[in-house]
Amino acid sequence: MENVVEVKDLKKYFPIKGGFFGGVTGYVKAVDGVSFSIPAGTTMGLVGESGCGKSTTGRTILRLIEKTDGSILFKGEDVSAMDKKKLRELRTKMQIIFQDPYSSLSPRLPVGEIIGEAVREHGLVSKEEYQDYITQIMKDCGLQSYHKDRYPHEFSGGQRQRICIARALALNPDFVVCDEPVSALDVSIQAQIINLLWKLQEDRKLTYLFISHDLSVVEHISDSLGVMYLGNMVETGKTNDIFAEPLHPYTKALFSAIPMPDPEIKRERIILEGDIPSPANPPEGCKFHTRCKYCMACCKEKAPEMKDMGNGHCVCCHLYDR
């Protein structure tokens, strides 16, 4: 199966400025050497604590922010090497659904204009077909045609997220970054949005990067999974394999926090001690060693390498050094 997106050793550092002249005094290493690929028509889940670099990874892939180093390939083409004209063409093929449906919609535009603005800008359909095209997109996303003339403040949270999804899909993309698209919604609406994303993926053969901190949602929608900690990928593989047997101590701790629907079943809770280190001054060696109960001497000195434990299930931990 062809990979739609291939990311290799991606880095994004944000400069820290200070001092009398406002010079650069250091860097926040938001993404620090992340690699993965997403086959066509599949969903990759990206999970981790707040501040681990998930959203920055997604936005850097789309070139909403520029990378510091590494390579990003979309259908074999280097995204970072594209000029303005080529990048403009690419914008229709790569889209994003933002986390907050409240702040990501303009309060001054009616819904029909929000969804259709980019369609008209890129000239995807003729003037005669424009209104019917927007109506069909809204219908596919669970919205009614009479919603076109209403403004975002007149809708509920779930409806606003449907508007965000319709805006992304109106350009007929191949790849969509879903940046925590259900975290601002209550549980019943979350299920509706997840089912909608699923249906749209089947109908339109979409490829998703699904960023979330809700592991139960990720398990439901993702084919593959990547676990991030402090700018690094610590474990990747098929979702079923990782949920059946998490290998990295950090992944085990995350999974132990998933609520169990059966009150009779008790899961041993793994409590991580200490605070997350600063991405501006990460610890030497393995970045997780300051919170890991399995920490060894080598963990403090040498950063572990990603190792394939079979069937594409990879882990970055000294516990599995052969």
Side-chain angles (χ1 to χ4, degrees), residues 6 25-26 33 51 56 84 101 103 125 127 133 136 145 152 170 173 185 188 192 198 202 205 219 242 261 273 307 318:
E6 295 180 46
T25 58
T56 303
K84 284 187 177 181
S103 62
V125 294
K127 288 183 179 180
Y133 180 79
Q136 186 59 49
S145 59
L185 309 174
S188 60
Q192 293 176 21
W198 221 349
E202 287 186 359
K205 305 291 185 273
E219 182 181 18
I242 294 180
E273 297 182 359
K307 291 169 279 291
H318 286 304

Side-chain angles (χ1 to χ4, degrees), residues 53-288:
K54 307 186 297 295
S55 295
T56 303
T57 299
R59 293 178 187 216
T60 307
I61 290 171
L62 299 180
R63 266 188 80 176
L64 295 178
I65 50 180
E66 295 292 340
K67 68 179 176 95
T68 301
D69 198 7
S71 67
I72 305 161
L73 300 181
F74 177 72
K75 293 187 173 180
E77 292 189 72
D78 189 346
V79 174
S80 55
M82 292 179 179
D83 57 23
K84 284 187 177 181
K85 183 182 177 183
K86 190 74 175 174
L87 187 61
R88 177 184 165 84
E89 294 172 4
L90 182 72
R91 289 292 179 219
T92 62
K93 297 302 177 187
M94 301 171 78
Q95 283 292 303
I96 184 169
I97 301 167
F98 291 101
Q99 176 178 358
D100 186 0
Y102 297 86
S103 62
S104 62
L105 298 174
S106 171
R108 299 180 180 181
L109 293 178
V111 165
E113 182 65 18
I114 288 172
I115 296 171
E117 187 178 22
V119 175
R120 190 167 53 244
E121 181 69 24
H122 286 277
L124 294 184
V125 294
S126 65
K127 288 183 179 180
E128 294 77 23
E129 299 173 309
Y130 176 77
Q131 290 298 336
D132 290 340
Y133 180 79
I134 300 305
T135 301
Q136 186 59 49
I137 290 289
M138 292 176 69
K139 185 179 177 182
D140 290 346
C141 295
L143 298 164
Q144 303 301 320
S145 59
Y146 59 80
H147 288 151
K148 278 184 189 176
D149 299 323
R150 295 186 181 180
Y151 289 81
H153 72 269
E154 299 178 70
F155 293 88
S156 67
Q159 287 176 313
R160 288 180 194 174
Q161 197 59 286
R162 288 175 186 272
I163 295 167
C164 294
I165 293 170
R167 178 177 60 182
L169 294 183
L171 292 171
N172 197 25
D174 295 322
F175 173 63
V176 182
V177 174
C178 305
D179 188 3
E180 303 199 29
V182 296
S183 64
L185 309 174
D186 62 47
V187 175
S188 60
I189 305 300
Q190 281 186 10
Q192 293 176 21
I193 298 299
I194 291 297
N195 289 334
L196 172 63
L197 290 170
W198 221 349
K199 183 178 184 302
L200 290 168
Q201 183 176 40
E202 287 186 359
D203 293 345
R204 294 168 173 262
K205 305 291 185 273
L206 295 169
T207 304
Y208 291 145
L209 174 63
F210 194 91
I211 299 167
S212 181
H213 58 257
D214 190 332
L215 289 161
S216 57
V217 171
V218 169
E219 182 181 18
H220 185 67
I221 197 172
S222 301
D223 300 294
S224 59
L225 186 63
V227 183
M228 282 188 74
Y229 181 80
L230 210 65
N232 289 112
M233 200 75 82
V234 297
E235 189 166 350
T236 61
K238 294 179 181 177
T239 302
N240 292 338
D241 292 344
I242 294 180
F243 272 85
E245 188 182 1
L247 298 176
H248 198 279
Y250 177 63
T251 311
K252 291 177 181 178
L254 284 182
F255 284 14
S256 74
I258 302 174
M260 297 295 291
D262 188 345
E264 299 297 322
I265 299 176
K266 300 294 182 184
R267 177 184 274 150
E268 183 185 353
R269 182 78 167 88
I270 301 172
I271 306 295
L272 295 177
E273 297 182 359
D275 297 322
I276 303 176
S278 168
N281 187 26
E284 293 289 325
C286 175
K287 292 182 179 179
F288 186 62

